[in-house]
Amino acid sequence: MKRRTRMFTLFLLLIIIAGGAALYIWNAMQPVQPQTQPVAFTVVQGTGTSAIADTLEQKGLIRNALVFKAYVKFKQQGSAFQAGKYEAKPGATFDQLITKLSAGDVVKEEMIRFTIPEGFTIRQMADKLQKEGLADRQRFLQLANDPSAFDVALVRDIPKQAGLRYALEGYLFPETYELKKGSTAKDIIQAMLEQTQKRLETVSDLDAKLKQRGETLHQLLTVASLVEREVVVEDERSVVAGVIYNRLKQDKKLEIDATVQYMLDKQKERLYYKDLAVESPYNTYMHQGLPPGPIASPSLKSVIAALQPKATDYLFYVTKKDGTHEHLFAKTYKEHLHNIQVSNRKTN
C-alpha cells in the first residue's frame, strides 16, 4: 500500500513538473506586450541563431532567447536567416520574426534620386546637384578633374593633355540614378562612371571597332558629345557624325557652334563673331581637329552614331529655322551658302 502511495506521489510530481515546464515554455513563447513603435536590430553577416536570439531578447522582442532557439531548431529554419538591418514591433510572434529573418525583410534605406539629362556638361551637373541639395558644387568640380580618385577601368586611359577642361567631361553617363541617402559627390561620380562603363560594354566589339578605325575611346566620346549637342532629330545623328569625320579627313576646321557654347559656359541663343574669336582649344572655328575632349555627356545613341557614322560626301550642315530642328546638308560651300539662305527664308 505504501509503495503504491509513493508511486502515485512520484507520478503526480512528474505531472506537476511537466505541467510547470509546459506552462513555462508556453508563457515564454507568448509575444511581449504589443507596442506601436518598431524596434531596430541588426544581424551581422555570419551571426548564428543563438546570437540572434540573444539580440531579440535584449531588444525586448521576445521573452526568452533559449526557448526561441529551441523553437527555431524544431522548425529547422535558422540556417535561412539573412543579415541586414531590421525593424520589428514588440508583439510579433515567433513565427512572424522567423519569417522576417528568413525572407531578409530588412529596412529599406532612404534613397536619393536625381536625373542627369543627355548632353549635360560637368558644370551643369554640379549646378543641378547643388541646387537639389545632393552635392557640393566645388567638390564635384574638383573631383571631375581627378580620375585617379575613382576605381573604374574606364578612366585609366583618359589622356593628360593640355587644355582639357574637366578630365571626366563626357565620361559621366546621363541617366536617372538612385543612391543611398548621404551619398557624397565622390559616390555620385563613381556611380556615374560605373554606369558609363556598363553601357559601353553593351556596344558590340567596341575595342575592335575602335582599333579598326584608328580611334581612341576618348576621341570617340568627344565626337559623340559633339553629335549630342548638335543633333535633336534621331535620324541625323550618324549623318552629322559622318560630316565631322569628313571634315577631319580633309583637315578642315570643324566650326561647330556647340564647342564655342561650351567654352562660354552659358548657352546663348545666338553666337556673334566676337564669340567665335575667343581663344580656346575648344574653339573649333580657330583650331583644327577635335577639341581636347568631350564637351558634354553623350547618350549611347550618339556614341553608336560616332562609332558607325553614315558614309556621305557632306561637309556642311545648317539648322532649319522652321522649328523642326532638322538640318540641311551640303557637299560644297556653295551649296551650304544656298542652304543658309533657304533656312533664313523660313523665318521670314
Side-chain angles (χ1 to χ4, degrees):
M1 185 70 178
K2 289 182 179 180
R3 184 176 179 183
R4 288 181 180 180
T5 301
R6 285 197 300 269
M7 289 292 291
F8 178 77
T9 301
L10 181 60
F11 178 70
L12 185 61
L13 182 61
L14 289 173
I15 290 175
I16 292 172
I17 292 173
L23 181 63
Y24 174 81
I25 294 173
W26 180 85
N27 184 65
M29 290 181 62
Q30 297 310 299
V32 299
Q33 186 67 30
Q35 295 181 25
T36 56
Q37 188 68 29
V39 174
F41 64 95
T42 301
V43 175
V44 179
Q45 188 72 38
T47 303
T49 304
S50 181
I52 294 172
D54 291 340
T55 297
L56 293 176
E57 183 177 350
Q58 291 166 11
K59 292 290 185 178
L61 290 169
I62 59 175
R63 297 178 185 274
N64 190 293
L66 184 62
V67 174
F68 182 82
K69 295 173 202 174
Y71 185 77
V72 169
K73 189 172 184 179
F74 172 74
K75 299 277 285 187
Q76 297 182 336
Q77 290 183 311
S79 61
F81 289 174
Q82 299 182 42
K85 295 180 179 180
Y86 292 86
E87 280 186 354
K89 290 182 180 180
T93 66
F94 276 13
D95 285 330
Q96 287 172 332
L97 291 170
I98 290 171
T99 298
K100 180 181 285 289
L101 289 163
S102 297
D105 185 13
V106 298
V107 177
K108 292 183 179 179
E109 296 188 70
E110 284 191 78
M111 307 294 284
I112 59 172
R113 186 181 176 87
F114 61 92
T115 299
I116 300 300
E118 296 172 350
F120 250 40
T121 66
I122 289 286
R123 290 198 178 192
Q124 285 176 312
M125 294 177 198
D127 289 341
K128 187 176 191 292
L129 291 170
Q130 175 159 298
K131 185 177 180 181
E132 295 175 5
L134 301 177
D136 177 73
R137 181 180 186 275
Q138 287 305 120
R139 178 59 175 159
F140 190 91
L141 294 177
Q142 179 186 13
L143 287 167
N145 256 332
D146 186 12
S148 64
F150 303 97
D151 184 23
V152 184
L154 178 71
V155 304
R156 295 172 191 161
D157 296 325
I158 296 177
K160 296 179 181 179
Q161 61 190 66
L164 193 61
R165 197 174 198 186
Y166 292 107
L168 297 184
E169 190 78 83
Y171 288 81
L172 306 184
F173 199 80
E175 179 68 277
T176 295
Y177 292 87
E178 194 169 67
L179 303 177
K180 294 179 183 178
K181 186 176 181 180
S183 293
T184 64
K186 185 177 180 180
D187 295 330
I188 291 173
I189 294 177
Q190 176 75 25
M192 297 177 76
L193 286 170
E194 289 174 359
Q195 183 66 5
T196 301
Q197 181 89 54
K198 180 180 176 181
R199 291 303 188 96
L200 289 176
E201 287 172 356
T202 67
V203 180
S204 178
D205 300 321
L206 175 60
D207 291 338
K209 290 175 181 176
L210 285 173
K211 186 175 181 180
Q212 184 179 18
R213 293 176 58 81
E215 188 176 29
T216 66
L217 177 62
H218 188 73
Q219 291 169 329
L220 176 71
L221 292 177
T222 300
V223 174
S225 73
L226 300 179
V227 172
E228 189 66 47
R229 292 306 292 258
E230 288 283 284
V231 179
V232 173
V233 179
E234 190 70 31
D235 293 342
E236 292 186 349
R237 291 180 193 268
S238 60
V239 182
V240 170
V243 173
I244 292 171
Y245 286 119
N246 286 345
R247 293 184 70 86
L248 289 173
K249 288 176 184 177
Q250 295 190 23
D251 290 327
K252 293 182 180 293
K253 294 174 183 175
L254 294 181
E255 298 183 350
I256 291 178
D257 288 356
T259 62
V260 179
Q261 297 278 14
Y262 177 72
M263 72 184 189
L264 294 177
D265 283 332
K266 58 182 180 180
Q267 195 73 18
K268 300 180 71 172
E269 290 186 14
R270 180 181 177 186
L271 292 175
Y272 295 94
Y273 286 115
K274 64 178 182 179
D275 297 321
L276 306 184
V278 174
E279 175 54 44
S280 167
Y282 285 89
N283 189 341
T284 54
Y285 278 86
M286 296 186 68
H287 300 282
Q288 285 184 311
L290 290 172
I295 62 170
S297 286
S299 62
L300 190 63
K301 293 173 290 188
S302 289
V303 172
I304 293 174
L307 188 64
Q308 301 171 347
K310 187 170 183 178
T312 71
D313 293 327
Y314 295 140
L315 290 171
F316 305 90
Y317 59 86
V318 62
T319 305
K320 293 181 183 179
K321 296 180 180 177
D322 58 0
T324 64
H325 300 291
E326 294 177 343
H327 291 91
L328 295 171
F329 296 90
K331 299 176 183 178
T332 66
Y333 186 61
K334 183 177 180 181
E335 290 177 358
H336 181 55
L337 291 177
H338 173 71
N339 285 343
I340 291 174
Q341 291 179 341
V342 172
S343 177
N344 288 335
R345 280 203 297 267
K346 294 182 182 295
T347 64
N348 298 330

